[in-house]
Each structure stands twice: as C-alpha cells, then as structure tokens.
Amino acid sequence: MTWHGVPIEHENEAAWLEARRDGIGASDVSGIVGLSPYASPFSVWADKIHGTYREPTYGMQLGKKLESIILESFEDVTGLHVQAISRQLHIAHPQFEWAQATLDGLAFDHLDDDSHASDAIGVVEAKTDGRFKRWKKVPDHHVIQVQWQMYVSGLERGWLAALHGGRLFEVYEIEKDLGIQEQLVTKVSQFRAKHLMIDPLENNGEPLPPDADDHRATSSSIAELWHSPADDEVIDLSKAMAADVTAL
C-alpha cells in the first residue's frame, strides 16, 4: 500500500485544535483502548464532546522544542531524509474521514523541492523520554500511535526517534502489523458509535460517556467539567442527597 492520506487544511493552530475534535487522532487511540498514561476513554470523550483543554506541561513544551533536533538526529543515524511537517500535515483516511493523524515528519530516500508526501517511505514520530535508558520494549502507547499513523497515511514503514534522558538517542523501527491496525479500527469504531455519535432515543440525545475510572486523565476531565465549589462555600444537602452520600 502507498500513501493515501487526505490532507486537512487549517488557517492557524486554533483551527487545527478545533478540527482535531472532529476526528480520532493517533494520540487518542491508545487512550480509547486503555493503554495510554496520558489519556483514558473518559478523557477522550470529554475532549471530543465538551472540548476540555489541558495546558501543556513544561515537559510537553520542551519536547516540542526538541522535535527538530530529534528529527535531524534521525537523519544522521539512518541516512534517510525527513520532511518535518508537524501541524502542516493533518491527514484523514480516505475511507473513514474520522480516522486522522497529525504527523511529526515523513521519511524519504531522497528529498528535494519537488518531493511530495506520495514519495515518502514512512512516518517518523519524535519522542522525548525522561530516563537515560534505551527501551528494551517500545511502550505500547507509542507503538499504537505509529501503527495508527501508518493506517491513516497508508505508508508501510514507521519509526520512533527517541531522545532518552536528554543524552541518549535511539531509533526504533515499528513493523506494520495489519492485525493490530484492524483491531484498533474495530475498537475505535465501536467507541465512536457508542460514545461520540448522538442517538436521539438514548441519554436525552446526548452521547453516552464511558465509565469513569481511576486514571488521572479521567480525574482531570471530571474536575474541569464539574468544578468543585470554593473551600469556604457551604452547601446544604437535601435528604435525598444526604442519603446518596451515605450509600456511597
């Protein structure tokens, strides 16, 4: 299979962030299947339906700044050429427009002014890792992210370019796995149908949220959706509410 990604154009970063809510991106998928340390099914639902927004941590901001250095290092190590595109290439699958991905870079055997995405040989994802140690096994959520990018783009190869502890650089090639990709599409399709599509006969016409869990992303989303009262605010509970608290 070759490149089949359908570009989605945006005027600015705000438009890109808003457009991401309409689709399921590579970073959403591991949260949906319960394998992400940063997202949960509930937090993905809250983001898509209510537009919850979490400010990037300092580590996330630093990782973004280091992205160009990581991609340059990938070129040095592999001898391949990278077109760093980031938000400039937000793409959708040609058959399922909700299956989307925003690529850090595309890898080419040769790169010149006439190169096009259709000439790329694979996707490149740049990562920073706080530990000064090579991964013996690439974390599942990173593998899922690259598999989804390959599925959406149609490209056969994918790489993780990782900076460990700010000093150790490693390249990990992710083999395309059709079995994994098919499982992801099935699970994400089921999630989307159950939790993101409106059924006028269910839940008063509102998309049904996934069950809450003890993931920190779930707690953060709940806190943002339902703000706690100020510490000095006193609320009188009705008898029914008090009975519910006792039961809990």
Side-chain angles (χ1 to χ4, degrees), residues 46 48 96 147 157-158 164 166 179 193 226 231 246:
K48 302 302 179 185
F96 305 110
Q147 290 288 350
R157 303 176 72 183
H164 298 284
W226 296 283
D231 293 339
T246 300

Side-chain angles (χ1 to χ4, degrees), residues 56-100:
T57 64
Y58 177 72
M60 294 167 64
Q61 296 175 39
L62 186 59
K64 192 63 185 175
K65 292 179 180 179
L66 290 170
E67 190 173 286
S68 60
I69 297 175
I70 293 172
L71 295 179
E72 288 177 10
S73 299
F74 173 86
E75 292 183 319
D76 294 338
V77 169
T78 64
L80 298 172
H81 302 273
V82 176
Q83 185 180 40
I85 43 188
S86 191
R87 297 189 182 96
Q88 297 176 24
L89 193 55
H90 179 199
I91 60 173
H93 189 278
Q95 183 178 359
F96 305 110
E97 62 181 17
W98 50 264
Q100 301 177 7

Side-chain angles (χ1 to χ4, degrees), residues 45-61:
W45 169 84
D47 177 44
K48 302 302 179 185
I49 299 302
H50 297 285
T52 56
Y53 177 74
R54 289 171 292 281
E55 288 290 339
T57 64
Y58 177 72
M60 294 167 64
Q61 296 175 39

Side-chain angles (χ1 to χ4, degrees), residues 146-164:
V146 176
Q147 290 288 350
W148 189 258
Q149 291 174 349
M150 286 191 280
Y151 168 73
V152 174
S153 68
L155 295 175
E156 297 284 333
R157 303 176 72 183
W159 291 271
L160 273 169
L163 181 63
H164 298 284

